[in-house]
């Protein structure tokens, strides 16, 4: 007698199984996209564990380490030459941001280093470089595509967001006005991305908020490891205020504009 075929899974367990599978694939792609940031945080943790009295300062070692993992990523083809250029631009913008913030006392780098400029070690821009790397790798690994994107309006607002974070110490703070304008500019923009075999979409503004949250979590980890310190963390570590989540959600627009511009330049070169 032939054995009867096993019954198919009911609809709900089958959907849960498919959801779990795609969630695992999504998590794996995210892990691959975060390889630069993960390596950077591992370096920070290792530097924090180093004994005192070394002939080379911790900040100088982190600069050498950051340059090394950037070169390794390019050599291993984790990142293309154009993506490394985006990472470098993000590093420079981040370093300029750090210089202004340190000068006005928003946070400090309390340790000495040979590679400190205006109170900021040169490695200080690597947090922003890691964000640039994440956006570039996510774009490629998730096969991101923007629809309804307004490049000029979004770029202008992203530039104003960056400048406002520098100038609000002397001029009126317009971040919430800019946030509203950015919501309007990206209101019809959707991000399409691939997870496994399915194509999904989400509003670009929602992507900003989600990335901003994870950057706020990363900032808590970085300050805990002593990468830098806010004034309220000088005596003992305490969490970064949740308002920084909103700041990161706005600032990520700068990185997305840069990455999108670099991809468009590449496409233009391919067509010529």
């Amino acid at each position: 007698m032939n054995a009867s075929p096993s019954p198919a899974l009911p609809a709900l367990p089958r959907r849960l199984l498919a959801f779990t599978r795609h969630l695992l694939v999504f998590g794996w792609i995210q892990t691959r996209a975060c390889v630069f940031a993960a390596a950077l945080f591992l370096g920070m943790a290792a530097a924090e564990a180093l004994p005192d009295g070394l002939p080379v300062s911790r900040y100088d070692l982190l600069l050498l380490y950051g340059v090394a993992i950037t070169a390794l990523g390019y050599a291993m083809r984790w990142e293309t030459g154009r993506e490394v250029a985006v990472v470098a631009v993000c590093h420079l913008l981040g370093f300029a941001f750090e210089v202004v913030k340190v000068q006005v006392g928003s946070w400090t780098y309390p340790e000495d280093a040979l590679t400190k400029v205006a109170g900021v070690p040169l490695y200080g821009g690597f947090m922003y470089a890691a964000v640039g790397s994440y956006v570039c790798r996510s774009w490629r690994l998730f096969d991101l595509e923007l629809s309804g994107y307004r490049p000029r309006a979004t770029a202008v607002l992203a530039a104003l967001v960056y400048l406002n974070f520098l100038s609000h110490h002397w001029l009126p703070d317009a971040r919430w006005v800019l946030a509203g304008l950015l919501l309007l500019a990206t209101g019809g923009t959707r991000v399409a991305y691939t997870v496994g075999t399915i194509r999904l979409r989400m509003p670009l503004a929602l992507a900003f908020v989600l990335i901003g949250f994870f950057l706020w979590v990363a900032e808590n980890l970085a300050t805990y490891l002593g990468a830098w310190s806010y004034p309220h963390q000088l005596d003992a570590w305490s969490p970064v205020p949740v308002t920084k989540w909103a700041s990161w959600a706005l600032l990520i627009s700068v990185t997305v504009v840069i990455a999108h511009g670099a991809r468009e330049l590449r496409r233009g070169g391919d067509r010529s």
Side-chain angles (χ1 to χ4, degrees):
M1 177 180 290
N2 294 331
S4 59
S6 57
L9 283 174
L12 183 57
R14 189 168 62 248
R15 289 174 182 172
L16 287 175
L17 183 62
F19 174 79
T20 302
R21 183 171 61 250
H22 283 104
L23 187 62
L24 291 174
V25 172
F26 179 81
W28 171 238
I29 297 174
Q30 286 282 14
T31 301
R32 292 169 61 196
C34 291
V35 64
F36 184 96
L40 186 63
F41 281 116
L42 285 174
M44 289 179 182
E48 180 67 16
L50 291 174
D52 296 331
L54 293 175
V56 181
S57 77
R58 197 163 61 95
Y59 292 161
D60 294 336
L61 287 174
L62 284 171
L63 173 63
L64 294 174
Y65 176 75
V67 172
I69 60 176
T70 302
L72 178 64
Y74 178 69
M76 297 293 291
R77 297 185 178 180
W78 295 336
E79 291 172 332
T80 66
R82 194 174 295 274
E83 288 169 350
V84 170
V86 170
V87 170
V89 170
C90 290
H91 187 115
L92 291 173
L93 290 174
F95 181 77
F97 189 89
E98 293 285 307
V99 168
V100 173
K101 291 296 185 179
V102 166
Q103 294 305 307
V104 299
S106 295
W107 54 79
T108 61
Y109 290 89
E111 299 179 25
D112 293 327
L114 293 175
T115 55
K116 254 185 167 182
V117 178
V120 180
L122 292 179
Y123 101 90
F126 273 114
M127 177 73 175
Y128 306 87
V131 176
S133 173
Y134 168 77
V135 171
C136 286
R137 286 180 59 78
S138 293
W139 215 303
R140 180 157 38 87
L141 295 174
F142 282 107
D143 189 22
L144 298 187
E145 185 178 359
L146 299 180
S147 60
Y149 181 67
R150 302 175 180 89
R152 292 182 181 178
T154 307
V156 168
L157 288 171
L160 291 175
V161 164
Y162 178 83
L163 292 174
N164 179 76
F165 275 105
L166 299 181
S167 65
H168 78 87
H169 300 285
W170 307 282
L171 301 175
D173 189 353
R175 75 183 67 188
W176 297 116
V177 174
L178 292 171
L181 292 174
L182 197 58
L183 279 174
L184 289 175
T186 60
T189 307
R190 297 290 184 271
V191 184
Y193 58 103
T194 300
V195 179
T197 58
I198 61 174
R199 192 73 170 161
L200 301 169
R201 293 179 184 274
M202 75 165 66
L204 180 60
L206 177 58
F208 289 167
V209 171
L210 293 176
I211 296 173
F213 172 75
F214 287 108
L215 289 174
W216 172 72
V217 173
E219 189 176 25
N220 274 281
L221 178 59
T223 55
Y224 181 77
L225 294 174
W228 66 88
S229 299
Y230 286 99
H232 71 279
Q233 296 173 323
L234 292 178
D235 295 328
W237 183 84
S238 59
V240 176
V242 73
T243 53
K244 298 294 182 181
W245 175 4
S247 299
W248 279 115
L250 286 172
L251 281 171
I252 192 62
S253 65
V254 179
T255 309
V256 169
V257 164
I258 294 171
H260 178 267
R263 293 183 67 84
E264 289 301 302
L265 283 175
R266 187 191 68 182
R267 290 180 180 178
D270 293 341
R271 288 193 294 266
S272 60

